[in-house]
Amino acid sequence: MHDTLTVLLALLSALANGAASVLQRRAAMEQEQEPEPEQRAGRRAGQALLRLARLLRRPFWLAGGAAMVVSAVAQVGALAVGRLSVVQPLLVTELLFTLVVGSLVFRHRPDGRTWLAFVTLAAGLAIFLVAADPSHGQGTAKNGRWLPVGLLAALAVGVLIAAARALRGPARAAVLGCATAACFACTAALIKEFTGRFAGGVAAVFTSWPLYAVCGVGLLSFLLLQSTLRAGTLAASQPALTLGDALMSIVLGWVLFGERIALGPRIVPEAIGVALMAAGIVGLSHSPAVADGWDTATRSPPEHPARTVRRTESGGAS
C-alpha cells in the first residue's frame, strides 16, 4: 500500500513540477520580449528587484507558483511514506509531463522522434528501478553524516554557479540546471529528515534544525531555478535538472539513510536502464521539436497602433 501511494504522489509531484517549469519559462520569455528600462549606474540591484517584482505579477508565473506548491506537498507526502532513492528518480517523469504541458502552452506538437526519446527514457527508468530495487533505510540520517554531506554539496553548488558565470546560452542553462538539481536533491533529503522526526511530536519538529534548513535550501533552489529558466531553453536545462536530481538523490539516500540498491548480477539490467535513459536524453536534445525553439515559439504581442502609424509616417518622409 505504501509503495503504491509513494508512486502516485511522486508522479503527481512530477506532473505539477513539469507544469510549473513550463509556465514560469513562459513568463520569463514574455518578460524577455519587453524592452528593458535604462539602467543607471549604481541602480542595477534596484532594477533587478523591479524586474523580479514584474515577473511575480504575471499570470503564467502565478499559475506556475501554484503548481510548485502542489508539487511540494505531493513530494513531502511521498517522502514521508517512501524511500528517497525511489521518489526522486520517479520525478524524471517530469520530462514527459513538461513536454505534454509545453505542447499546449507553446502550441507545438512534438514529432514522433521526440515521443520515442521520452518512451526510451521512461523504459530505462522503469528497468533501472525494478533491477535496483532500493532497500528501505532509516527514517532519519545516521549520526554525524549531515555536516560533511552539507559542506560537500555547498562546495559543489558554489563551483557550478561560478562556472556558469563564464558560460552563455545552452551551456550556461545546463550548468545552472546541475546546480539547481543538487539543491533540489538536498532539499528532498532534508524533507525526508524532517518527516522522519514526526514521531517525536510537534515540539520536536519545530525545535529541530531540518525544518529551517528545508526553508533555506528550498529558497536557494527556487532562486536558482529562476536563473536557470532565464538562462536558456527547457531543452538545455530540464534534463540536467531532473536527471541530476535523481542521481544525486540515490547517492544521498545511500550515504544518509542507508538505502542501498542491488548490485551483483543485477548490475547488468541496471546498466541497460541507465543506457536507455542516456539514449532518451540524447534523443531529446537532438529532437527538432525541442532543440529548434520549442519553448520560444509564441507570438509576439501586437504592436500598438500609434507606433505603427508613426513608423509609416517616418518611412514616407524618407
Side-chain angles (χ1 to χ4, degrees), residues 270-303:
E270 288 170 2
I272 293 174
V274 171
L276 286 174
M277 285 192 285
I281 290 297
V282 171
L284 171 64
S285 64
H286 289 84
S287 168
V290 176
D292 293 346
W294 167 73
D295 63 336
T296 59
T298 54
R299 293 175 296 180
S300 299
E303 191 174 26

Side-chain angles (χ1 to χ4, degrees), residues 109-130:
R109 180 177 298 177
D111 61 357
R113 191 165 68 178
T114 302
W115 287 112
L116 179 61
F118 275 107
V119 170
T120 303
L121 177 61
L125 174 64
I127 292 172
F128 175 80
L129 286 178
V130 170

Side-chain angles (χ1 to χ4, degrees), residues 227-259:
S227 297
T228 301
L229 294 175
R230 288 181 60 87
T233 65
L234 294 175
S237 62
Q238 204 68 11
L241 275 168
T242 52
L243 290 182
D245 185 356
L247 294 175
M248 187 166 182
S249 293
I250 291 174
V251 174
L252 291 177
W254 169 53
V255 174
L256 294 171
F257 304 105
E259 301 173 358

Side-chain angles (χ1 to χ4, degrees), residues 63-101:
M68 287 183 69
V69 172
V70 173
S71 176
V73 172
Q75 184 183 19
V76 169
L79 289 170
V81 299
R83 290 154 283 179
L84 178 67
S85 53
V86 171
V87 173
Q88 295 306 107
L90 279 172
L91 296 185
V92 171
T93 56
E94 175 187 338
L95 288 167
L96 175 59
F97 295 129
T98 299
L99 180 64
V100 172
V101 178

